[in-house]
Amino acid sequence: MTQAKNSSPSMAKTALGQAGPLVSRMGLGTMTFGAETDEEESFRQLDLFVDQGGTFLDTADVYGGGTSEEIIGKWGRRRGGMGELVLATKGRFAPPPGSHGASRRAIVRSVDASLKRLQVEAIDVYFIHGWDRHTDVAESLATLDDLVSAGKIHNIAWSNVCGWQIQKIVSTARAQRYPVPVAVQPQYNLLDRGIELEVLPCCLEEGMSLTPWSPLGGGWLTGKYTADARPTGATRLGEDPDRGVEAYDLRNTSRTHAVLETLRSIASDHGRPPAHVALAWLGSRPGVASILLGARTAEQLADNLAARDLVLATPELEALTKVSSPGLPAYPYGFLEDWSQLDVWKTLGT
């Protein structure tokens, strides 16, 4: 058994929230593990990520039906432990029969099951994977507080929530002296900036970080999809063109292709692939702590990790922000901007 290695210092790190751990600016999302990527190839990705200085691993109990966590656990045991790595997982969508996803019974059992699969004593960042309308958020927070006190998790976070839900979580946590989330994990990329209306301003106001998923818009921002040819073959959209919020027909719009045109132009100026520019733009956004990279192969991961040293000039960032702007609804947002002098959306270029 080999000893855990120290990560290369080549990747910058940022704290999650006001009191969370330091994480690498690029994280490894492992939704493909055990589903689209077998164990051997998953090990290759994990080895590559750590060798390149990555420290933030993100998984969930539903990825591969638990196989993603099992693969990470086997890999960690093989290398002698997780060392300085920051390990995040999620629970909510695989509750035990008879329980709602964010209830006390479900969270306790989910955490214990994840610890066993990951072969660790504690989870560094535990995300509630989505809102549970059947469970009072105070019950979820009280349970998470107990698990922090028991040493089973170190920090809490939420994923896939809207602005009022985040505020309810934070307000309840502060009022009852429960742990406050250090991060929120939303979809965020040049093609989907909807979180800028409420989620991102709320996170900035409350001192929480973002760890965005789908930074390349389901593959659109790599430039491999075109307006006149539905994708086919061994890609996510090729295998499932109707893939949720990333569906081909949903994204195949004039706005998307205007963004891609600007993206390709800037990428050409830098001698880089469009994906690097898209990742550099996202990494520059306020509140973004770590971008989650998901890949099927180590080669794909290596291509994306190579974007970490790209810094875009201010005019380039402004051009991308302008062309991808979703626009601000006149009410209440435009009204608040004009009559209450709120400048957050102007600052974000929404």
Side-chain angles (χ1 to χ4, degrees):
M1 181 180 295
T2 59
Q3 293 298 311
K5 298 177 181 179
N6 291 325
S7 296
S8 163
S10 61
M11 197 181 299
K13 297 178 179 64
T14 304
L16 288 182
Q18 297 176 336
L22 291 172
V23 296
S24 52
R25 292 285 289 156
M26 289 184 169
L28 180 58
T30 63
M31 188 173 70
T32 61
F33 289 11
E36 300 164 87
T37 306
D38 64 22
E39 181 175 296
E40 181 180 357
E41 185 63 24
S42 299
F43 281 8
R44 288 185 63 211
Q45 287 195 36
L46 288 161
D47 288 338
L48 170 67
F49 180 68
V50 171
D51 287 345
Q52 293 293 312
T55 64
F56 186 43
L57 299 180
D58 179 87
T59 186
D61 61 356
V62 292
Y63 293 169
T67 306
S68 175
E69 290 183 328
E70 290 175 351
I71 288 173
I72 293 171
K74 290 178 182 178
W75 174 81
R77 182 175 182 180
R78 187 186 70 169
R79 70 191 296 270
M82 293 297 175
E84 68 177 60
L85 298 179
V86 177
L87 183 60
T89 193
K90 313 178 194 72
R92 155 69 178 89
F93 293 116
S99 295
H100 295 300
S103 66
R104 174 175 289 274
R105 182 170 182 264
I107 292 175
V108 169
R109 294 191 182 194
S110 295
V111 166
D112 285 343
S114 290
L115 288 170
K116 183 176 180 180
R117 286 189 291 264
L118 291 165
Q119 302 187 48
V120 294
E121 294 181 354
I123 296 161
D124 294 305
V125 185
Y126 191 76
F127 285 85
I128 301 298
H129 210 163
W131 190 252
D132 179 2
R133 67 186 181 92
H134 299 290
T135 302
D136 189 331
V137 72
E139 178 181 336
S140 302
L141 286 164
T143 305
L144 295 169
D145 182 41
D146 289 343
L147 290 167
V148 170
S149 296
K152 292 186 176 183
I153 61 178
H154 295 153
N155 300 274
I156 72 166
W158 246 267
S159 180
N160 303 314
V161 282
C162 61
W164 69 264
Q165 293 167 340
I166 296 172
Q167 191 59 62
K168 185 172 184 178
I169 293 164
V170 173
S171 296
T172 303
R174 289 194 171 136
Q176 301 193 29
R177 297 187 178 181
Y178 295 140
V180 174
V182 298
V184 171
Q185 190 173 122
Q187 179 185 206
Y188 192 27
N189 55 61
L190 277 164
L191 301 183
D192 198 322
R193 295 173 54 189
I195 68 163
E196 292 181 10
L197 291 179
E198 296 277 358
V199 171
L200 181 51
C202 186
C203 288
L204 294 174
E205 181 74 16
E206 297 294 347
M208 290 180 290
S209 296
L210 298 185
T211 61
W213 58 269
S214 192
L216 296 177
W220 273 102
L221 297 173
T222 66
K224 63 185 176 184
Y225 300 131
T226 61
D228 55 357
R230 286 176 67 83
T232 59
T235 67
R236 290 184 181 178
L237 285 187
E239 294 173 353
D240 182 10
D242 299 319
R243 183 186 176 93
V245 295
E246 299 172 343
Y248 175 79
D249 291 329
L250 185 66
R251 288 266 167 88
N252 188 22
T253 65
S254 58
R255 174 177 172 269
T256 290
H257 295 291
V259 171
L260 290 173
E261 183 178 351
T262 303
L263 196 65
R264 291 190 183 101
S265 175
I266 295 173
S268 177
D269 290 342
H270 286 272
R272 298 272 196 145
H276 285 194
V277 177
L279 292 171
W281 176 87
L282 185 56
S284 76
R285 301 301 283 169
V288 172
S290 186
I291 299 170
L292 298 180
L293 304 177
R296 293 189 179 202
T297 67
E299 287 74 22
Q300 292 173 347
L301 176 61
D303 287 343
N304 290 333
L305 285 171
R308 67 185 183 275
D309 65 343
L310 177 59
V311 178
L312 299 177
T314 298
E316 295 171 326
L317 292 171
E318 291 175 345
L320 288 165
T321 301
K322 182 177 180 180
V323 74
S324 66
S325 170
L328 195 67
Y331 190 87
Y333 306 101
F335 182 90
L336 289 170
E337 192 171 65
D338 292 339
W339 293 93
S340 297
Q341 292 78 51
L342 290 185
D343 60 1
V344 63
W345 299 297
K346 287 183 178 178
T347 299
L348 294 172
T350 308

